[in-house]
Amino acid sequence: MEYRKLGRTKEKVSVIGMGCWGLALSRDGGEWAREIASLQRGIELGMNLIDTAEGYSSGRSEELVGEAVKDCRDDVFIATKVAPPHLHYDAVIRACQDSTKRLGVSFVDLYQIHWPDPGVPIKETMSAMEKLVQDGLVRYIGVSNFSVSETNDARAALAKNEIASNQVEYALTNGSVEADILPYCVREKITLMAYSPLAHGRIVPTPNDILQKYNMTPAQAMLNWVTRNERVVAIPKAANIRHQEENASSIVVRFSAADYEKMSVG
Ligand code: NAP
């Protein structure tokens, strides 16, 4: 596995992480165990970045992550998110406390604002985020689905901390962030965390000559392409352990610039 620095921090996160939206949809024992096994296999293969949210499966995704990492907490980097209804000061603090309880951890590594809410002053939300850092419940602050100007406002609202990452949709099928958010993140040394990097499972074909040259599957090629910029990490979701293994080995070789370009144009 390859690792990249998170934002301007010294923290190293795996270039391919594990998304947890859609995990723990039910409490069905077999399904739950299968999903935990997939996460644990990913950790074994070096995927230390795990992304969840208080809003995923009504908090059960965080519970499932907690169970998966209970014997290896120090080896993983847990990113979770506060939902838009909880962006006022007291609600942020409470939401984070609740997340740590569901995760069974004493702190989260990265706490992200899931979506911006223009109805709540960003200064108020960020004051709470900084209080969480000060109290040791959170190590780094991130945002998600923030435009360039919203990210600028979020940075200006922080007194002592920096925005480490912006989690946005980015895939071979949707490269819109390349117009503004990605160049901004590169310039400002903010990690761009690519969500839905496999287009929600709608894997698109890559020219056969490229797949054969690098011995990759189409899904692996999508992950390789989306992480070709050194500021990007991706968080595919894989409940299926075979998919997890495939994703973990998607960047063992890098494609040539010409092949990436060929993929970009389809
Ligand atoms: P995704 O990762 O693009 O796609 C997931 C789908 O791809 C699942 O159906 C999965 O199947 C399948 N898959 C995984 N690996 C595969 C492989 N090697 N070959 C073929 N199929 C494969 O979609 P996503 O869940 O929307 O996004 C990933 C993560 O991003 C989420 O889990 C969440 O953490 C984050 N996210 C964040 C936001 C936000 O607003 N911040 C929004 C959406 C998503 P199996 O599960 O059966 O393995």
Side-chain angles (χ1 to χ4, degrees):
M1 179 52 63
E2 186 186 328
Y3 300 84
R4 287 181 178 157
K5 279 193 187 151
L6 177 82
R8 294 174 190 258
T9 77
K10 292 196 171 70
E11 206 65 41
K12 291 210 166 169
V13 294
S14 53
V15 173
I16 308 296
M18 298 187 281
C20 298
W21 178 38
L23 297 188
L25 276 179
S26 80
R27 281 205 180 273
D28 173 78
E31 194 65 10
W32 191 274
R34 189 175 78 98
E35 292 172 354
I36 286 185
S38 183
L39 288 182
Q40 290 179 334
R41 181 69 181 135
I43 295 166
E44 227 171 64
L45 294 171
M47 299 158 100
N48 70 347
L49 171 61
I50 304 179
D51 178 74
T52 182
E54 63 167 335
Y56 293 171
S57 303
S58 311
R60 288 192 306 278
S61 172
E62 289 183 327
E63 289 174 24
L64 186 141
V65 169
E67 210 172 312
V69 307
K70 67 177 187 295
D71 294 327
C72 59
R73 168 65 184 104
D74 294 344
D75 302 334
V76 293
F77 186 92
I78 300 177
T80 192
K81 311 184 196 79
V82 55
H86 298 154
L87 298 186
H88 283 294
Y89 188 93
D90 289 344
V92 174
I93 305 288
R94 214 168 25 245
C96 186
Q97 289 165 342
D98 290 347
S99 282
T100 56
K101 275 188 207 127
R102 282 189 295 268
L103 286 158
V105 298
S106 55
F107 63 87
V108 298
D109 296 289
L110 178 69
Y111 203 40
Q112 307 156 99
I113 301 178
H114 205 146
W115 288 89
D117 179 356
V120 181
I122 189 71
K123 185 98 189 139
E124 178 179 347
T125 307
M126 285 309 180
S127 299
M129 297 292 262
E130 296 209 285
K131 170 75 173 147
L132 289 168
V133 172
Q134 190 188 317
D135 291 351
L137 261 85
V138 164
R139 295 179 66 212
Y140 306 110
I141 298 169
V143 293
S144 175
N145 299 300
F146 274 45
S147 66
V148 167
S149 73
E150 286 162 341
T151 310
N152 268 329
D153 291 347
R155 295 171 80 193
L158 286 166
K160 294 188 187 142
N161 294 274
E162 294 183 8
I163 296 291
S165 58
N166 188 5
Q167 184 179 128
V168 288
E169 184 161 3
Y170 184 27
L172 185 56
T173 49
N174 179 1
S176 59
V177 296
E178 292 181 1
D180 52 2
I181 298 175
L182 180 57
Y184 172 84
C185 285
V186 170
R187 204 171 56 242
E188 302 300 330
K189 297 190 170 62
I190 293 172
T191 292
L192 188 149
M193 206 177 282
Y195 77 64
S196 307
L198 292 172
H200 310 282
R202 289 187 291 275
I203 310 298
V204 294
T206 283
N208 260 330
D209 57 324
I210 297 181
L211 297 180
Q212 278 166 13
K213 183 169 165 189
Y214 301 104
N215 193 22
M216 293 269 168
T217 65
Q220 287 177 319
M222 285 179 82
L223 295 177
N224 200 300
W225 180 92
V226 85
T227 58
R228 69 200 189 288
N229 185 296
E230 63 174 26
R231 274 289 149 201
V232 177
V233 299
I235 45 166
K237 170 255 179 186
N240 178 318
I241 200 164
R242 299 290 159 243
H243 285 162
Q244 201 77 273
E245 289 169 345
E246 197 176 315
N247 299 346
S249 57
S250 60
I251 50 168
V252 285
V253 286
R254 282 289 169 193
F255 302 178
S256 68
D259 286 336
Y260 283 137
E261 184 55 28
K262 197 166 161 188
M263 286 179 73
S264 304
V265 295

